[in-house]
Amino acid sequence: MNLVEEEHDSKKDHINEIVLSEDVQRAIEQVLQSSDPLDQPDFNPTDYINQLFPNEQSLSNIDEVIAKMECDISLIDDNIRSVVRGQVNTGENGRVALKEAQQSLTQLFSLITDIKSRAEKTEDAVKEITRDIKQLDSAKNNLTYAITTLNHLHMLVGGVENLKRLSERRQYGEVLNPLQAIIEVNQHFQQYSEISQIQTLSAQVQQIQSELATQITDDFKNFFSPTSHSNANRMTLTQLKDACQVASVLDKPVKKNILKWFINLQLQEYVQLFHENQDIAWLDKIDKRYAWVKRHLLDFEEKFGTVFPPDWEVSERITVQFCTITREELSKIITRRRTEIDVKLLLFAIQKTANFEQLLDKRFNGTTLIEATSEEVRQERGSFNNLIGSCFKSYLDIYTDSIDRELAALIDQFAQQNQQMVVPKEINPGIIPNCADLFVFYKKCMVQCMQLSNEKPMYDLVLLFKKYLREYAAKVLEARIPKPQPPNTTTSSISSSMSLLTKDFQNLSTAAGQVIHNFLKEGETPRFSSEDMRKICYILATAEYCLETVQQLEDKLKEKIDKQYISKVDLSDEKDVYHRIISNCIQLLVQDLDAACEQSLLLMTKIAWHSISNVGDQSGFVNQIITNLKQTVPVIRDNLANSRKYYTQFCHKFVNSFIPKYINTLYRLRPTSSGSSSASGTAALVASASSSSLAEGANSTSTGGNILGCEQLLLDTHSLKTVLMDLPSIGSQVQRKPPASYTKVVVKGMAKAEMIIKVVMQPVHPASLYIEQYLKLMPESSVVEFHKILEMKNVRKIEQQQLVEAYKRVCPQLQQLPTPASSTAGSHVASGSDSGNVSQTNEPPASGGNSTQSQQIAAAAAAISGAGSSIMALGDSLMDKGRIKKIENLIKNRLPN
């Protein structure tokens, strides 16, 4: 049983190894064309059996299936046997067929050999038959060629005699056709030049051509000679026309010499009439030259236009020669009389010449320009452009020098107008009118120069444009920018303040408050008036227009100028000048608004924040800032309505300047009290200005742990943040959403100010908790800012050092940062060791002139405080004017110079 299974498996494996190629499989399918699953190449016995017996019930007919299978197998075996038996006789049949094929090939070869031999015999017979015909055909060709040659020879012999006779009679109309034929025949006989008779005939033809050329040239000269009118042998116009046709047939030099002589004859009068020594030859009468040639061409075409063949282009040749002579003569006379040329005369001559050349381009096609031998005359495109005008190129510096002078005068005129010009009253005044005038003049010059030349003169014009763009910026725009008026001297203000003190001793508290107010105003930075701000905006809009127009001018110049100069056209320096003017104007507006807010910030430092008892509405300095913004910003916005991007830039720069100043001012405040420190001298002085007497302000002290000042500052800071967010649309009926970049700057800056105030409100004990809160509220802070905040809290110096050390331990990366000396000095003042030292309390930052002014204010306030006490002690005894004057002088001596 195992052997049978192994044999069955080996057979099964052997069958599975049979793999048929795709071609064999397709052939089998074409032959069998069976849909039986057993005939398919991918036959699977398991699937086939499962298909026959899908379930156990189907096994009931297994005997029928097996019987059917056995029947099919029997049929297949029968077919195989029949096929095998049929293949037994195949080899014998093949051999018989091969033998028959060989016999057929032998018979075919013998037939082909027979046909070939017969074809050779037929060819010999045909050659024998056609031998005489070929001889006759060759004789015919030779005879035809001989007859043609004899005819040509007869024509040549007879034509020579005929041509001699016709040429002697000057019958050029009858000469034309024979002459053409004889020239062609003579060319045919050049291959027989070794024959003496042919040589003789060729020499006669050459002689006839030479005699005709000489005769026609003489006839032309006789006809057009001034002394030939009485000559009886003078030719008619018809004969002259025929002679031109004959000259066209002759050699090219004949026609060329005739035209050269004739054109020189036509221009002989012009050369004599416009000789360089004649007055009419100068540039102011250059139009007479062109008028002369126009009249002459009209006269020539009327009289002789039908004489010359159209392909001779005699009128155009006369014009080209006229242009050549004119250019040479003008070059000579301009060189000799250069000093007499001014720009008007030069432009007149160039304009007249350009108009004439344009007329020639319309009248002629320019074919003779290409034939010209002179390199200066030859034009690649057959154009008359600059055919005469090229003589002016070497003298175009006269034109550019004139433009230089005109632009200089124009800028000076604009500068003079600048002194008298006022800004228009409308809200959006536009630009300065002379700015548009300048660029209109530039355009006129550029168009004019394009008509003259787009090469070196155009580049010289570009350099002039660059020069006077800078001149206009300096002399007209920058010179027009308003300057703020300098403030009055401190001495005069102090003098008026002392007079105020000595005039009314009955109301010393009111007088002292007014004196303090005057001293505060003394430190104000001079500001622009509303008209000055409108002027700055006027100049800014003009500079913007110039900037845009300069870019357009640069593009147009690069488009018009010659290719070799394109890379040299660069107006970037001039655009930078106008960029600088715009930036300067914006900076001036920002500084002006800064100056307005600076006084409010200074007033902010004079408030005794630590003594505030309740939190109410926003403080007075905030109201003052809002008032200044509402007065200034709408004026700038209305006058920059057409320059919105620069108005937005102004708002950006202002908040970038104001917010840091506001934060620095916060650092100088002392909004809280530690319970032991007293109010500073300056704060007490300002508090006394709003109290009933100086004595009451001097004795004011802060209460311990008061943070109401911080709450009030937080309220004021939020109010300022709201105002700054709406700054671009402040005072406007149309509310626009500010740009996202602007909003980001305001939110970030004012958020820092709020965080500073919140940090100040936090108690410093315990220190670890305070530092933790500090880092949470101000994560990007530094040791310097930490010092300033401790000073704001009036923390004692010892405690400051301890807190700083703790802060450094928490933030070791900040240990390398140095502590500024100003911070240490500020902490010393904030410790309250000397309550009477008003010169250092709340000291403003030493930057520019504001530090000096603030120091003078503080010193003056101290002097006034002491002087006020002296006046109160002596008020009852000093009633006469003389003694009052002495007291006033005493007070002045105590004040700083």
Side-chain angles (χ1 to χ4, degrees):
M1 184 66 181
N2 294 334
L3 294 174
V4 174
E5 291 178 355
E6 290 177 0
E7 183 179 357
H8 176 72
D9 293 338
S10 62
K11 291 182 179 180
K12 181 179 179 181
D13 296 337
H14 180 69
I15 293 173
N16 290 337
E17 290 177 357
I18 298 175
V19 179
L20 301 179
S21 65
E22 294 181 359
D23 295 337
V24 174
Q25 187 64 44
R26 283 195 297 268
I28 293 173
E29 291 176 356
Q30 290 177 0
V31 173
L32 293 178
Q33 295 182 353
S34 174
S35 60
D36 192 344
L38 295 172
D39 296 330
Q40 300 302 319
D42 55 350
F43 173 73
N44 190 332
T46 303
D47 294 339
Y48 182 70
I49 293 172
N50 291 333
Q51 184 178 0
L52 292 177
F53 307 105
N55 47 41
E56 294 181 359
Q57 289 76 11
S58 60
L59 295 175
S60 60
N61 60 347
I62 188 171
D63 295 332
E64 296 177 1
V65 174
I66 292 173
K68 183 177 179 302
M69 288 289 183
E70 289 176 350
C71 181
D72 292 340
I73 291 170
S74 177
L75 291 174
I76 292 172
D77 290 339
D78 292 340
N79 291 334
I80 291 173
R81 281 194 295 271
S82 63
V83 171
V84 170
R85 290 172 181 173
Q87 294 296 323
V88 173
N89 299 326
T90 301
E92 185 64 26
N93 294 336
R95 284 190 292 274
V96 172
L98 179 61
K99 186 175 181 181
E100 292 176 356
Q102 290 174 349
Q103 292 176 355
S104 299
L105 287 174
T106 304
Q107 294 174 0
L108 180 62
F109 180 74
S110 62
L111 290 174
I112 292 173
T113 303
D114 186 41
I115 291 171
K116 182 178 179 182
S117 61
R118 291 179 182 182
E120 290 175 354
K121 293 177 181 179
T122 303
E123 184 180 2
D124 294 338
V126 170
K127 287 181 179 180
E128 184 67 24
I129 293 171
T130 59
R131 182 179 293 112
D132 296 335
I133 296 175
K134 287 184 178 180
Q135 291 177 356
L136 291 174
D137 187 49
S138 178
K140 177 186 175 181
N141 291 335
N142 293 333
L143 183 60
T144 302
Y145 186 75
I147 292 172
T148 303
T149 303
L150 289 174
N151 285 335
H152 287 168
L153 183 61
H154 180 268
M155 185 185 301
L156 183 61
V157 174
V160 169
E161 297 298 330
N162 189 29
L163 281 177
K164 287 182 180 179
R165 184 175 62 256
L166 292 176
S167 61
E168 290 175 357
R169 297 176 183 177
R170 285 180 167 79
Q171 296 176 348
Y172 297 119
E174 299 177 5
V175 167
L176 180 60
N177 290 331
L179 179 62
Q180 289 178 330
I182 287 174
I183 291 175
E184 292 178 1
V185 170
N186 189 38
Q187 291 293 333
H188 173 71
F189 280 103
Q190 291 301 316
Q191 55 183 330
Y192 308 110
S193 58
E194 69 274 2
I195 302 174
S196 60
Q197 290 83 355
I198 299 299
Q199 291 180 357
T200 302
L201 289 173
S202 296
Q204 290 178 359
V205 171
Q206 294 293 334
Q207 184 180 0
I208 290 173
Q209 293 184 32
S210 177
E211 290 175 355
L212 279 173
T214 304
Q215 183 175 309
I216 290 173
T217 303
D218 293 339
D219 290 341
F220 265 91
K221 292 181 179 180
N222 291 333
F223 183 85
F224 290 104
S225 176
T227 60
S228 65
H229 296 289
S230 60
N231 192 347
N233 295 328
R234 185 169 179 266
M235 291 194 306
T236 63
L237 291 178
T238 303
Q239 289 177 317
L240 197 64
K241 181 178 180 180
D242 295 336
C244 291
Q245 297 291 342
V246 174
S248 298
V249 177
L250 297 174
D251 294 337
K252 290 184 178 180
V254 178
K255 170 186 172 182
K256 183 177 180 182
N257 293 332
I258 292 174
L259 285 173
K260 182 177 180 181
W261 173 85
F262 180 75
I263 292 172
N264 289 334
L265 179 65
Q266 295 297 310
L267 296 175
Q268 185 176 2
E269 179 187 353
Y270 170 74
V271 173
Q272 294 176 356
L273 183 62
F274 290 91
H275 190 268
E276 60 178 322
N277 294 327
Q278 302 295 328
D279 293 338
I280 197 174
W282 186 228
L283 297 180
D284 59 344
K285 299 180 179 61
I286 195 171
D287 54 335
K288 296 185 180 297
R289 293 176 179 266
Y290 308 136
W292 180 92
V293 76
K294 292 176 187 177
R295 291 194 305 268
H296 187 78
L297 288 176
L298 291 174
D299 184 60
F300 163 76
E301 292 178 356
E302 181 180 356
K303 291 181 180 180
F304 309 112
T306 58
V307 173
F308 297 94
D311 60 318
W312 282 29
E313 299 286 356
V314 179
S315 296
E316 183 175 330
R317 294 178 187 275
I318 293 174
T319 305
V320 171
Q321 185 64 19
F322 166 82
C323 293
T324 303
I325 295 173
T326 303
R327 185 182 66 254
E328 293 173 355
E329 292 297 321
L330 288 176
S331 298
K332 292 178 183 178
I333 195 170
I334 291 175
T335 303
R336 186 166 58 88
R337 303 174 62 178
R338 177 187 174 94
T339 56
E340 302 178 27
I341 302 176
D342 58 10
V343 66
K344 292 183 178 179
L345 181 61
L346 180 65
L347 292 179
F348 170 78
I350 293 175
Q351 186 63 44
K352 293 295 181 181
T353 302
N355 293 339
F356 177 68
E357 290 171 345
Q358 292 175 3
L359 179 64
L360 296 183
D361 274 330
K362 295 178 182 178
R363 171 64 179 81
F364 303 112
N365 54 21
T367 55
T368 59
L369 290 171
I370 303 175
E371 300 174 5
T373 56
S374 174
E375 291 294 336
E376 296 181 357
V377 176
R378 184 181 296 115
Q379 305 288 322
E380 294 181 358
R381 293 171 295 177
S383 173
F384 285 86
N385 185 31
N386 283 328
L387 191 57
I388 301 174
S390 59
C391 67
F392 299 113
K393 287 186 176 180
S394 302
Y395 306 95
L396 288 178
D397 58 324
I398 298 174
Y399 167 75
T400 53
D401 291 343
S402 171
I403 296 298
D404 190 1
R405 293 191 295 271
E406 289 184 28
L407 281 172
L410 193 64
I411 296 298
D412 291 340
Q413 178 185 349
F414 291 164
Q416 292 176 1
Q417 295 173 354
N418 189 38
Q419 304 299 327
Q420 304 172 356
M421 192 179 301
V422 295
V423 182
K425 297 299 182 183
E426 57 266 21
I427 292 179
N428 187 17
I431 63 172
I432 301 175
N434 55 33
C435 175
D437 296 340
L438 175 67
F439 286 104
V440 168
F441 185 81
Y442 273 17
K443 181 179 179 181
K444 174 185 174 183
C445 293
M446 185 171 62
V447 172
Q448 195 175 50
C449 190
M450 272 299 301
Q451 298 174 353
L452 304 179
S453 173
N454 69 335
E455 297 178 353
K456 180 65 165 55
M458 178 66 82
Y459 179 66
D460 293 340
L461 193 65
V462 171
L463 297 180
L464 289 179
F465 286 174
K466 291 168 61 69
K467 173 184 176 182
Y468 287 102
L469 283 173
R470 294 191 295 269
E471 289 282 331
Y472 183 83
K475 294 184 178 180
V476 179
L477 296 185
E478 290 181 339
R480 188 179 174 82
I481 296 176
K483 302 295 189 297
Q485 296 297 326
N488 295 328
T489 59
T490 306
T491 305
S492 61
S493 179
I494 294 174
S495 177
S496 60
S497 300
M498 293 304 99
S499 299
L500 181 63
L501 278 176
T502 56
K503 284 180 181 179
D504 190 0
F505 286 98
Q506 282 76 22
N507 196 359
L508 275 179
S509 62
T510 303
Q514 183 63 36
V515 170
I516 294 169
H517 180 70
N518 290 340
F519 274 105
L520 291 178
K521 289 184 66 178
E522 178 61 28
E524 291 183 2
T525 303
R527 293 197 57 201
F528 293 116
S529 64
S530 177
E531 183 66 19
D532 288 341
M533 287 190 291
R534 295 184 73 244
K535 285 183 180 180
I536 294 175
C537 296
Y538 197 32
I539 294 170
L540 191 151
T542 304
E544 181 187 14
Y545 171 81
C546 291
L547 184 62
E548 296 174 354
T549 312
V550 166
Q551 181 61 53
Q552 298 173 5
L553 177 66
E554 181 179 5
D555 296 339
K556 186 62 68 175
L557 288 171
K558 288 183 177 180
E559 176 185 343
K560 298 297 183 182
I561 203 167
D562 190 73
K563 293 182 179 179
Q564 60 178 326
Y565 293 100
I566 290 179
S567 60
K568 297 181 180 179
V569 177
D570 184 12
L571 303 183
S572 57
D573 292 340
E574 289 66 35
K575 287 184 284 188
D576 291 342
V577 169
Y578 289 102
H579 272 300
R580 188 181 70 246
I581 292 175
I582 293 173
S583 299
N584 187 24
C585 290
I586 295 175
Q587 190 61 35
L588 287 176
L589 295 174
V590 171
Q591 290 176 356
D592 180 72
L593 191 54
D594 269 344
C597 297
E598 187 173 349
Q599 298 303 316
S600 302
L601 296 179
L602 184 61
L603 177 61
M604 177 182 173
T605 62
K606 306 305 178 184
I607 299 175
W609 294 98
H610 59 277
S611 62
I612 290 179
S613 58
N614 63 328
V615 179
D617 294 334
Q618 59 192 24
S619 302
F621 78 92
V622 177
N623 294 328
Q624 188 175 350
I625 290 175
I626 296 174
T627 301
N628 288 326
L629 294 178
K630 289 183 177 180
Q631 289 176 351
T632 304
V633 175
V635 176
I636 298 173
R637 182 179 60 245
D638 293 340
N639 286 272
L640 292 180
N642 293 335
S643 304
R644 190 72 187 177
K645 63 178 180 180
Y646 292 117
Y647 171 68
T648 304
Q649 187 176 346
F650 158 77
C651 295
H652 268 279
K653 287 191 174 182
F654 170 71
V655 295
N656 280 324
S657 174
F658 172 77
I659 294 177
K661 288 185 178 180
Y662 180 74
I663 292 175
N664 288 333
T665 305
L666 284 178
Y667 284 137
R668 294 161 54 194
L669 303 182
R670 303 295 179 263
T672 63
S673 61
S674 61
S676 60
S677 60
S678 62
S680 63
T682 307
L685 187 61
V686 176
S688 66
S690 59
S691 61
S692 60
S693 65
L694 291 172
E696 292 176 358
N699 295 326
S700 64
T701 58
S702 59
T703 60
N706 184 13
I707 61 171
L708 292 178
C710 292
E711 294 179 357
Q712 182 64 45
L713 274 175
L714 199 60
L715 175 64
D716 295 339
T717 302
H718 181 74
S719 299
L720 278 179
K721 178 180 177 181
T722 304
V723 172
L724 292 178
M725 289 291 290
D726 296 334
L727 180 65
S729 301
I730 192 171
S732 174
Q733 297 179 354
V734 179
Q735 296 296 320
R736 292 185 179 180
K737 185 178 179 180
S741 58
Y742 173 82
T743 303
K744 182 178 179 181
V745 172
V746 174
V747 170
K748 183 177 179 180
M750 297 307 291
K752 181 177 181 180
E754 292 175 344
M755 293 302 104
I756 291 173
I757 298 172
K758 290 180 180 180
V759 168
V760 173
M761 294 172 65
Q762 300 294 325
V764 294
H765 300 290
S768 58
L769 181 61
Y770 177 71
I771 294 174
E772 180 182 354
Q773 292 295 326
Y774 177 86
L775 293 176
K776 185 181 298 184
L777 294 175
M778 298 183 65
E780 298 179 357
S781 181
S782 63
V783 177
V784 176
E785 291 181 336
F786 189 68
H787 266 292
K788 292 180 180 180
I789 290 174
L790 293 180
E791 292 173 6
M792 290 178 66
K793 293 181 66 64
N794 276 329
V795 179
R796 291 182 299 175
K797 187 175 181 180
I798 297 176
E799 293 181 358
Q800 283 189 33
Q801 294 177 354
Q802 296 174 352
L803 288 170
V804 168
E805 293 298 329
Y807 178 77
K808 288 181 178 181
R809 286 193 297 271
V810 176
C811 303
Q813 67 274 14
L814 301 176
Q815 293 182 10
Q816 301 300 324
L817 296 177
T819 302
S822 59
S823 176
T824 305
S827 63
H828 176 72
V829 174
S831 63
S833 58
D834 187 1
S835 60
N837 189 1
V838 296
S839 63
Q840 295 185 15
T841 307
N842 294 330
E843 182 181 358
S847 60
N850 295 336
S851 176
T852 304
Q853 293 172 357
S854 301
Q855 291 175 0
Q856 292 176 351
I857 292 170
I864 291 171
S865 179
S869 301
S870 302
I871 291 171
M872 292 174 65
L874 299 175
D876 294 334
S877 59
L878 301 177
M879 298 301 294
D880 59 283
K881 294 182 179 180
R883 293 188 178 183
I884 292 175
K885 189 66 176 177
K886 292 180 180 180
I887 294 174
E888 184 177 349
N889 292 333
L890 178 62
I891 294 173
K892 288 182 180 180
N893 291 332
R894 294 185 59 183
L895 293 177
N897 293 328

